[in-house]
Amino acid sequence: MPPIGIFGGTFDPIHFGHLRLAEEMAAAIGLSRVLFIPAGQPPHRGAPRTAAAHRLEMVRRAIAGNPRFEVDAREIQRPELSYTVDTLAALRAELGNEQPLWLLLGADAFLGLPGWHQWRRLFDLANIAVAARSGAQSLQPDALPDELKHELSQRQQAAGSAACPAGSVLLRQMTPLGISATAIRDTLARRGSARYLLPDAVLDYIHEHQLYLYP
């Protein structure tokens, strides 16, 4: 059964760092598809700067042309807070217990995992693939919170074995692009150029709807 990737985030806006992470993880693990799931009301941070409908459309435009990438609007359509565990549980119910699922996370998100709602249950619902920067010290065992270090010691794989439905952790070095949505918003707010930081179709949409004009 081909594995499926799950990639959530505010995507405010989506940029090449997001897209490259998904592309490299898809190739490394052999994902048949990657579901991009824009957050509706993320509980771990302030409300997104941009309305959900805009963020959803930017994701649609960013992934157009990649047959392996799909957008999933379930969190935006959900009126309550967007908890990853609920999203994974819903996907697991739809796809069955044998379907291999891979939750794609950046290193910072993984380090903050113990603060997530029902975070240990995530391992029952999916595997977790973590994008690490080359030479990063933050994911070294001595730098991890104790509870996360314990989970990693029990679950880490040396390579992506996509066959298991859930429970594994893979740390994978990614191409270091150094692009952030915060920096893009700041650049646009001061009327600077964000070209080559995100797809032209997304940038055109931002200009068309005059998004991020103010800090």
Side-chain angles (χ1 to χ4, degrees):
M1 190 177 293
I4 296 172
I6 313 298
F7 191 19
T10 53
F11 301 124
D12 193 17
I14 189 169
H15 54 69
F16 284 131
H18 298 127
L19 297 169
R20 187 63 200 173
L21 185 157
E23 180 70 10
E24 292 191 24
M25 284 297 192
I29 303 171
L31 302 175
S32 60
R33 54 192 174 121
V34 178
L35 304 181
F36 285 72
I37 306 182
Q41 301 180 57
H44 308 294
R45 55 196 300 176
R49 280 282 311 278
T50 310
H54 286 314
R55 293 184 289 108
L56 182 64
E57 183 58 28
M58 286 190 284
V59 171
R60 284 198 177 108
R61 295 190 181 207
I63 68 175
N66 189 327
R68 189 154 51 179
F69 290 175
E70 302 176 16
V71 65
D72 185 315
R74 72 182 64 222
E75 289 196 4
I76 280 176
Q77 295 166 350
R78 187 185 301 155
E80 60 269 17
L81 290 175
S82 299
Y83 290 111
T84 300
V85 67
D86 294 334
T87 297
L88 290 178
L91 286 165
R92 179 59 69 197
E94 293 167 15
L95 299 170
N97 292 330
E98 301 306 312
Q99 172 64 57
L101 296 178
W102 284 85
L103 178 65
L104 310 184
L105 296 179
D108 291 344
F110 181 69
L111 288 170
L113 208 62
W116 290 27
H117 181 61
Q118 297 183 14
W119 72 280
R120 283 193 170 90
R121 190 176 167 220
L122 297 174
F123 299 109
D124 297 328
L125 297 167
N127 303 294
I128 298 180
V130 185
R133 298 182 185 91
S134 179
Q137 299 299 311
S138 59
L139 292 178
Q140 297 300 315
D142 291 345
L144 296 174
D146 287 342
E147 49 196 346
L148 194 58
K149 185 191 307 182
H150 174 75
E151 295 291 345
L152 187 60
S153 69
Q154 301 296 313
R155 302 178 183 279
Q156 185 175 359
Q157 292 186 1
S161 173
C164 53
S168 296
V169 176
L170 173 68
L171 305 184
R172 179 84 183 183
Q173 288 192 358
M174 295 283 107
T175 301
L177 294 182
I179 303 172
S180 79
T182 300
I184 290 172
R185 293 195 302 267
D186 291 345
T187 296
L188 293 169
R190 62 175 186 268
R191 307 301 197 273
S193 172
R195 195 175 186 188
Y196 306 124
L197 297 175
L198 65 175
D200 286 345
V202 176
L203 191 56
D204 289 345
Y205 184 87
I206 288 171
H207 291 322
E208 177 186 351
H209 293 274
Q210 300 184 39
L211 306 178
Y212 309 117
L213 289 182
Y214 305 100

